Amino acid sequence: MKKTLTIILLSILAGMTAHADEGMWLPSLISQRIGDMQEKGFKLSAEDIYSVNQASLKDAVVLFGRGCTGELISPEGLLLTNHHCGYGQIQKHSSVEHDYLKDGFWAMSREEELPNPGLSVSFLERMEDVTDLILKGYEPGMSEDERVSIVKNNSKALIDEVTKEGKGLRATVEALYYGNQYFLFLYRQYDDVRLVGAPPSSIGKFGGDTDNWMWPRHTGDFSMFRIYADKDNNPAEYSKDNVPYRPKKYFKISLEGVQEGDFTFIYGFPGRTQEYIHSEGVRYIEQVGDPHKIRLRTLRLDVMSKYQSQSQKVRIQYSSKHANVANAWKKWQGEMKGIRKMKTVQNKQEFEKTFSMWAANGEFDGVVEKIAQIYHDLEPYQFATDYYSETARTVELAGIAYKVAGLLEKENGKELAKEALDAFYKDYYLPIDKECFIAVMNEYDKNVPAEFKPEYYKECLDSYGSIEAWAKDLFASSLFADPAKAAEADLEAVTSDPAYRFYHEYAKWYNEDILPVTRQLNQDLQLAYRDYMRGQMVYCRTQRVPKAFYPDANLTLRVAYGHIKGYSPADGTYYLPSSTMKGIMEKDNPEIFDYNIPQRYREIYAAKDFGEWTDATGEVPVCFIATNHTTGGNSGSPVINADGNLIGINFDRVWEGTMSDIVFDPEICRNISLDIRYVMFIIDKLAGAGHLLDEMTFVGR
Ligand code: ARG
Ligand code: GLU
């Protein structure tokens, strides 16, 4: 049964014709796509992309930290990723005396490179289909619980075995196609990764939230690190004696530039997509989840913005929080709009109707209906969960109270709590928190049905009479409203505090009343999707529907390829595919925080001191867009040209195309990359760190 499954999958995957630029492909199976890639302009072979026998491009790509990608660009372990991926590290090294976020940082010698405890990068050693091994012992007819435990035990045994020989080895077994296939991913993890450089935020975050998810774009979103290893090039904990890691492969930097139509390929770790989702799942996202979540976040963002515009101090305190809330908020708006425009719900419904007729009396009979039923059962719980996470869970005072309670239970709790509290109050402004509480809880009151609200909520509202009165009392009587009192509080005082109680009662309600149901329903859903996924493949093959299948993203290494291309976001408008420094000068405005560039930068531009980093028109290129299929996690991914050389760093998508996590539209979906020549320009001219260029290899220089 498992054999046939693998054979079916393989024959389906191999026999599919290409579709315009959609897809996130598994590197080890890239030979199935290489013909299409070469037809579109790629000049290298499948073995050049992924090989276990020789150095290949995969050896120059790393999973950076917990959710970004990075690439090696020198024989001495130099690595590029995004500024927003290295942000946490840059921030940690910053202080009032040297504010690297504001001013940038460049190590002028190896000794000046800064260690980052807790940061690691992982190279993929190899990946392989282990479906038969992982399902060993599973028989059709067994329960899902039994299957889950078999998969878990077999995975553990396999992981233990493959990681036993060799330093820094780490492995995961990942389900693809909803568990129709299992793949082993074996990584080598390096833990000594040092900060080499970052531009000032006015360059690395140029355009800020205003330009986020937007094109035309001018963000210099990069930072630079170096991997260190022991004398034998093996992973090692941080030590002064460690030496720069010598990679099996690193990217050459191409100065040949990009033209509309050029082949591009992205090699990285996309996080999560749902391309095979049922119409009911899409309907919830488009018509329920996204609109409600957007509305709740609009309320919070408005409150933050109001106070931020009144005080310079508050603006800084809430800039990172505002950015975090705004990021998904903006993405969801594009996603919702894109799904609507693509008529994805209707199209899926039509497909499901045909599928269902085809499936009647066969192996996949009823699966479409079953999924619809599970979504129906799940919906109120999902709705309650979404509201919980966008309302009660966002109350800052409640969050810190809960955190402090947890810390005070530890041995050196007092000390840990003090640290946490100091960090919290540094960026806390109570009027924002309180007004957000009032705004979102009123919305919650209106929209969430009574049976999906905790008793605690009803009691509080009854006794206070209004959300406003409740907020007034909570924010006045909580000891966390007063940093001095919070610092003194013991565990008992904390756990009887109203802010703590708020967090605790909500968490208790969620864990007892909601989570068990959603967990069960999601397991049922997973099971039904496993059949539906296989059904979609068999259907398309037997009915000769030309559709190429690729597994949904799951933070494993993937190849996406396409070409440089502008797009038309609206009638009468066409966006060119690249931007230049000229556009930065046009946006430059000392009055607007997001567009205020360093004075030195203005001088460089006035003097036209561009060095060799210009395009054919004599301007310095900054960003470009292309049709590669990417998602969150692809941040920092290398953008590679037809010759396999580095032309850019991926960092975003256009917001009109963010539905590509669900449905890809080649007309609109574009990834946004930083032009590698801009990176070099900043290092060379603004940072004056030209010595770093000496270790890189340039093509077309
Ligand atoms: N939109 C990009 C991503 O999804 C960049 C986010 C960081 N930048 C920002 N202005 N918030 O992660
Ligand atoms: N900025 C995103 C990231 O951090 C990439 C944008 C996207 O979602 O494609 O991964």
Side-chain angles (χ1 to χ4, degrees):
M1 130 85 199
K2 279 153 277 155
K3 263 256 144 41
T4 44
L5 177 66
T6 306
I7 290 167
I8 291 174
L9 277 173
L10 282 179
S11 64
I12 292 172
L13 294 170
M16 286 298 167
T17 48
H19 246 240
D21 300 347
E22 173 182 350
M24 300 171 171
W25 310 99
L26 292 172
S28 63
L29 302 178
I30 205 65
S31 58
Q32 295 166 4
R33 307 295 311 177
I34 197 74
D36 187 48
M37 291 176 79
Q38 288 167 342
E39 226 164 81
K40 289 176 170 161
F42 191 51
K43 296 193 191 122
L44 307 185
S45 68
E47 279 276 296
D48 292 323
I49 296 175
Y50 175 93
S51 171
V52 283
N53 306 312
Q54 63 184 54
S56 60
L57 293 180
K58 83 156 170 54
D59 300 311
V61 183
V62 293
L63 176 67
F64 181 88
R66 259 166 273 160
C68 278
T69 305
E71 56 274 7
L72 276 291
I73 53 161
S74 96
E76 293 171 89
L78 208 53
L79 173 153
L80 279 175
T81 187
N82 289 147
H83 187 265
H84 79 259
C85 294
Y87 199 83
Q89 282 75 35
I90 306 168
Q91 184 168 43
K92 270 185 215 137
H93 291 297
S94 294
S95 64
V96 182
E97 297 83 57
H98 36 248
D99 187 346
Y100 300 143
L101 278 177
K102 182 164 164 289
D103 304 324
F105 165 78
W106 289 95
M108 289 301 161
S109 67
R110 299 272 160 95
E111 289 69 45
E112 286 177 17
E113 297 176 353
L114 301 170
N116 301 286
L119 174 66
S120 63
V121 298
S122 300
F123 291 88
L124 181 68
E125 292 270 305
R126 66 183 162 91
M127 56 189 285
E128 70 184 277
D129 187 336
V130 290
T131 313
D132 292 346
L133 255 174
I134 295 304
L135 290 180
K136 198 163 164 202
Y138 171 73
E139 298 296 337
M142 282 183 173
S143 74
E144 184 64 3
D145 280 340
E146 282 172 298
R147 192 180 189 273
V148 167
S149 107
I150 286 170
V151 167
K152 202 169 139 200
N153 292 337
N154 287 343
S155 299
K156 188 176 178 313
L158 179 61
I159 289 171
D160 287 348
E161 191 194 315
V162 296
T163 52
K164 88 174 169 256
E165 75 298 338
K167 268 191 185 165
L169 289 181
R170 177 173 77 73
T172 63
V173 170
E174 304 289 346
L176 303 180
Y177 299 116
Y178 297 93
N180 279 299
Q181 222 177 354
Y182 290 90
F183 261 75
L184 169 75
F185 293 86
L186 180 64
Y187 299 96
R188 193 178 294 273
Q189 178 177 316
Y190 284 80
D191 296 323
D192 186 354
V193 185
R194 304 185 195 169
L195 178 64
V196 174
S201 293
S202 52
I203 299 299
K205 271 193 81 173
F206 181 81
D209 276 337
T210 319
D211 286 7
N212 191 23
W213 300 110
M214 305 276 266
W215 184 256
R217 188 67 159 276
H218 300 90
T219 312
D221 198 345
F222 78 97
S223 58
M224 197 179 256
F225 289 79
R226 191 189 303 279
I227 306 171
Y228 279 78
D230 69 12
K231 284 186 296 300
D232 305 316
N233 213 30
N234 284 319
E237 270 175 48
Y238 170 79
S239 151
K240 276 215 297 291
D241 301 330
N242 285 348
V243 292
Y245 168 71
R246 295 181 306 281
K248 286 185 221 157
K249 185 92 187 168
Y250 64 92
F251 284 104
K252 293 180 193 144
I253 313 279
S254 169
L255 298 183
E256 289 163 332
V258 299
Q259 298 287 334
E260 182 137 26
D262 281 357
F263 174 87
T264 59
F265 129 51
I266 307 259
Y267 213 165
F269 290 86
R272 181 175 142 86
T273 59
Q274 310 177 74
E275 310 289 342
Y276 308 100
I277 183 176
H278 187 283
S279 62
E280 276 301 292
V282 187
R283 183 192 57 76
Y284 179 82
I285 293 170
E286 181 217 310
Q287 294 169 23
V288 186
D290 278 356
H292 280 275
K293 290 190 294 184
I294 292 164
R295 164 129 189 85
L296 290 165
R297 287 198 177 199
T298 305
L299 292 168
R300 286 164 64 208
L301 290 167
D302 286 349
V303 173
M304 287 186 212
S305 300
K306 184 178 85 183
Y307 287 102
Q308 283 180 288
S309 69
Q310 291 168 6
S311 146
Q312 179 77 352
K313 185 173 169 216
V314 176
R315 189 187 57 65
I316 295 169
Q317 284 181 319
Y318 275 73
S319 74
S320 168
K321 293 178 191 176
H322 190 283
N324 278 337
V325 176
N327 195 39
W329 170 78
K330 203 158 176 181
K331 189 210 141 169
W332 291 329
Q333 295 178 51
E335 179 175 80
M336 210 176 108
K337 198 175 140 190
I339 293 171
R340 219 164 262 179
K341 184 156 170 258
M342 294 282 286
K343 298 193 174 21
T344 307
V345 175
Q346 292 99 301
N347 291 342
K348 291 221 177 223
Q349 281 168 347
E350 272 159 39
F351 173 79
E352 285 152 14
K353 220 183 273 166
T354 327
F355 178 93
S356 171
M357 271 163 5
W358 166 81
N361 304 319
E363 187 191 350
F364 306 109
D365 193 3
V367 68
V368 162
E369 294 74 12
K370 186 165 174 192
I371 293 178
Q373 181 59 47
I374 301 171
Y375 272 121
H376 177 82
D377 297 343
L378 186 60
E379 182 152 337
Y381 289 89
Q382 186 60 46
F383 188 73
T385 304
D386 282 347
Y387 256 87
Y388 168 50
S389 66
E390 293 292 329
T391 59
R393 277 300 283 262
T394 65
V395 178
E396 294 182 71
L397 209 64
I400 186 67
Y402 185 77
K403 185 170 179 180
V404 166
L407 293 174
L408 285 177
E409 280 175 355
K410 298 196 173 161
E411 210 174 299
N412 53 340
K414 207 76 203 159
E415 220 171 283
L416 293 172
K418 186 176 174 332
E419 263 172 47
L421 284 164
D422 286 348
F424 175 78
Y425 289 116
K426 180 173 156 287
D427 290 332
Y428 183 67
Y429 189 58
L430 187 141
I432 290 186
D433 199 17
K434 184 173 158 189
E435 224 170 291
C436 285
F437 179 100
I438 295 171
V440 297
M441 291 309 286
N442 267 307
E443 203 67 11
Y444 172 90
D445 187 67
K446 262 194 300 197
N447 296 330
V448 179
E451 67 268 36
F452 287 94
K453 286 178 174 138
E455 272 316 306
Y456 161 78
Y457 171 83
K458 295 173 204 162
E459 283 162 19
C460 286
L461 198 63
D462 277 349
S463 74
Y464 287 110
S466 72
I467 302 280
E468 284 73 6
W470 181 7
K472 195 169 167 211
D473 185 57
L474 193 155
F475 283 89
S477 64
S478 168
L479 58 89
F480 288 93
D482 180 345
K485 277 192 207 153
E488 292 301 308
D490 58 16
L491 187 59
E492 207 195 312
V494 172
T495 51
S496 45
D497 187 81
Y500 173 86
R501 177 122 196 268
F502 181 85
Y503 192 101
H504 174 76
E505 291 291 339
Y506 259 99
K508 189 161 168 280
W509 160 83
Y510 176 71
N511 288 326
E512 287 171 8
D513 292 8
I514 302 296
L515 194 59
V517 183
T518 53
R519 200 177 271 150
Q520 182 59 50
L521 288 172
N522 277 316
Q523 201 187 76
D524 297 348
L525 202 53
Q526 192 68 12
L527 184 58
Y529 264 122
R530 193 174 306 138
D531 288 338
Y532 183 41
M533 185 71 240
R534 221 167 51 251
Q536 292 181 59
M537 290 173 156
V538 175
Y539 172 84
C540 288
R541 179 179 46 124
T542 56
Q543 303 304 298
R544 308 208 169 276
V545 178
K547 181 168 170 56
F549 287 92
Y550 53 91
D552 274 323
N554 58 355
L555 209 63
T556 59
L557 189 60
R558 301 297 175 93
V559 169
Y561 58 93
H563 52 287
I564 311 272
K565 198 169 171 9
Y567 73 109
S568 170
D571 184 43
T573 313
Y574 185 78
Y575 283 150
L576 298 174
S578 49
S579 66
T580 68
M581 218 173 138
K582 194 165 134 229
I584 298 186
M585 302 316 293
E586 286 167 4
K587 284 179 179 171
D588 174 29
N589 184 343
E591 303 292 308
I592 302 175
F593 180 77
D594 285 346
Y595 294 135
N596 183 13
I597 55 174
Q599 185 53 28
R600 240 184 74 66
Y601 192 95
R602 294 186 187 111
E603 286 155 16
I604 292 172
Y605 192 79
K608 293 210 172 302
D609 182 15
F610 301 154
E612 56 191 304
W613 318 112
T614 52
D615 64 14
T617 71
E619 288 288 342
V620 178
V622 177
C623 295
F624 60 83
I625 49 174
T627 59
N628 305 290
H629 192 179
T630 56
T631 188
N634 271 124
S635 272
S637 299
V639 189
I640 304 158
N641 68 6
D643 299 310
N645 299 325
L646 192 67
I647 52 172
I649 311 173
N650 184 73
F651 70 95
D652 212 358
R653 274 175 292 167
V654 302
W655 76 284
E656 300 96 337
T658 49
M659 72 295 193
S660 65
D661 292 347
I662 290 165
V663 56
F664 187 88
D665 179 1
E667 293 302 317
I668 292 280
C669 294
R670 297 290 178 272
N671 65 306
I672 307 180
S673 306
L674 186 59
D675 193 302
I676 200 68
R677 292 169 295 176
Y678 188 58
V679 175
M680 297 303 142
F681 165 77
I682 295 291
I683 297 173
D684 183 20
K685 295 295 178 178
L686 188 73
H691 62 279
L692 290 167
L693 306 185
D694 297 341
E695 34 177 308
M696 303 175 200
T697 308
F698 291 90
V699 177
R701 198 174 189 177

